[in-house]
């Protein structure tokens, strides 16, 4: 790692894109944060720390992925006190990441505000065949999708911070399609305000009980 020029700020920010798949899907957001901090310390990275009595590495995650959900594209920012080639940072970190978590891209960004653009979010839902949970058959999935597509509205109830709210998900869903006999792809438009969880949307459209909701495999594609 090259020493920073004294005339430059002593902070360098990098944006990491990573996957969270397989057994790593069972890591909570706090456990994932701990994994990143531990991997960076093991890699001997020149981490920037917060001020105060309990300093911790300046690692900012953009979203808390629900426990049990997999993703091919999550983001976080990390701040260092020395410059590092992004490719070197990526390769160094991947040697210390747990199975199922992999850095797939890294780039240096400005210290100014660099929010992620809210774009279409795409999910892949897989209905397990070898489980005692009650899932619809392929024919039933087609019928339920047809019912959704022919309806004028689709009102979903969700709970957030102890309060129940209802949403018409028709404007929210950009596309929904059966891509395999046991697999459905759902794309959600960018939205402001309260948005139902993808599990609430899936449970409503496909008539899933609590047991099936927990057994449903969800992969966030983008």
């Amino acid at each position: 790692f090259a020493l920073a020029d004294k005339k430059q700020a002593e902070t360098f920010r990098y944006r990491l894109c990573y996957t969270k798949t397989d057994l790593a899907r069972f890591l909570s957001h706090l456990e994932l944060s701990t994994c990143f901090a531990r991997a960076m310390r093991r890699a001997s990275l020149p981490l920037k720390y917060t001020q105060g009595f309990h300093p911790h590495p300046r690692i900012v995650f953009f979203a808390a992925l629900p426990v049990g959900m997999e993703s091919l594209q999550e983001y976080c920012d990390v701040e260092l006190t020395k410059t590092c080639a992004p490719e070197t940072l990526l390769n160094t970190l991947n040697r210390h990441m747990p199975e199922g978590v992999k850095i797939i891209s890294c780039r240096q960004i400005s210290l100014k505000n660099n929010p992620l653009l809210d774009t279409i979010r795409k999910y892949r839902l897989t209905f397990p065949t070898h489980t005692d949970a009650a899932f619809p058959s392929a024919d039933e999935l087609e019928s339920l999708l047809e019912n959704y597509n022919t309806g004028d509205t689709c009102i979903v109830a969700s709970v957030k911070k102890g309060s129940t709210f209802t949403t018409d998900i028709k404007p929210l869903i950009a596309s929904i399609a059966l891509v395999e006999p046991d697999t459905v792809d759902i794309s959600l438009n960018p939205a402001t305000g309260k948005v139902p969880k993808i599990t609430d949307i899936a449970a409503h459209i496909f008539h899933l009980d609590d047991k099936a909701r927990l057994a449903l495999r969800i992969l966030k594609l983008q």
Side-chain angles (χ1 to χ4, degrees):
F1 300 104
L3 291 175
D5 190 307
K6 293 182 179 180
K7 294 182 180 180
Q8 293 179 327
E10 294 183 350
T11 301
F12 303 88
R13 184 175 296 162
Y14 297 84
R15 179 156 295 169
L16 310 176
C17 179
Y18 63 93
T19 65
K20 184 186 178 189
T21 59
D22 299 325
L23 292 179
R25 71 183 186 274
F26 296 116
L27 293 174
S28 69
H29 182 63
L30 179 59
E31 290 169 332
L32 182 67
S33 301
T34 301
C35 285
F36 268 78
R38 184 179 294 123
M40 291 176 183
R41 292 191 185 100
R42 287 176 175 172
S44 299
L45 296 179
L47 294 168
K48 181 85 172 183
Y49 283 82
T50 59
Q51 303 296 316
F53 292 104
H54 302 286
H56 56 270
R58 293 184 63 88
I59 307 171
V60 178
F61 291 85
F62 285 89
L65 201 66
V67 175
M69 185 183 297
E70 299 175 275
S71 178
L72 299 181
Q73 195 172 319
E74 295 298 304
Y75 291 90
C76 72
D77 287 355
V78 58
E79 293 184 2
L80 306 180
T81 59
K82 299 177 183 178
T83 58
C84 174
E87 187 173 331
T88 300
L89 180 58
L90 181 152
N91 292 332
T92 302
L93 273 178
N94 276 333
R95 289 198 291 270
H96 300 277
M97 283 295 177
E99 184 177 353
V101 179
K102 183 179 180 181
I103 312 297
I104 56 175
S105 71
C106 173
R107 62 187 179 93
Q108 186 172 356
I109 61 174
S110 168
L111 292 177
K112 297 179 181 179
N113 189 30
N114 281 281
L116 286 176
L117 296 178
D118 192 8
T119 59
I120 286 181
R121 286 165 288 162
K122 187 173 183 179
Y123 299 88
R124 176 157 292 168
L125 314 180
T126 301
F127 301 85
T129 54
H130 303 291
T131 177
D132 57 354
F135 285 111
S137 65
D139 289 340
E140 289 171 333
L141 285 176
E142 288 185 355
S143 177
L144 291 168
L145 280 176
E146 184 177 354
N147 290 340
Y148 166 81
N149 288 323
T150 56
D152 294 328
T153 62
C154 187
I155 308 300
V156 173
S158 293
V159 177
K160 188 171 185 178
K161 295 182 179 179
S163 300
T164 301
F165 66 96
T166 57
T167 306
D168 180 6
I169 61 172
K170 279 285 186 173
L172 182 62
I173 294 182
S175 65
I176 180 169
L178 188 68
V179 294
E180 296 288 345
D182 62 349
T183 305
V184 171
D185 280 1
I186 299 180
S187 295
L188 302 182
N189 289 314
T192 58
K194 294 180 179 179
V195 177
K197 299 176 183 177
I198 186 64
T199 49
D200 291 337
I201 294 174
H204 183 85
I205 295 176
F206 301 110
H207 300 176
L208 306 181
D209 59 22
D210 290 341
K211 191 172 185 179
R213 283 168 60 113
L214 292 174
L216 181 66
R217 291 290 295 269
I218 303 178
L219 173 65
K220 185 179 176 184
L221 300 175
Q222 67 181 42

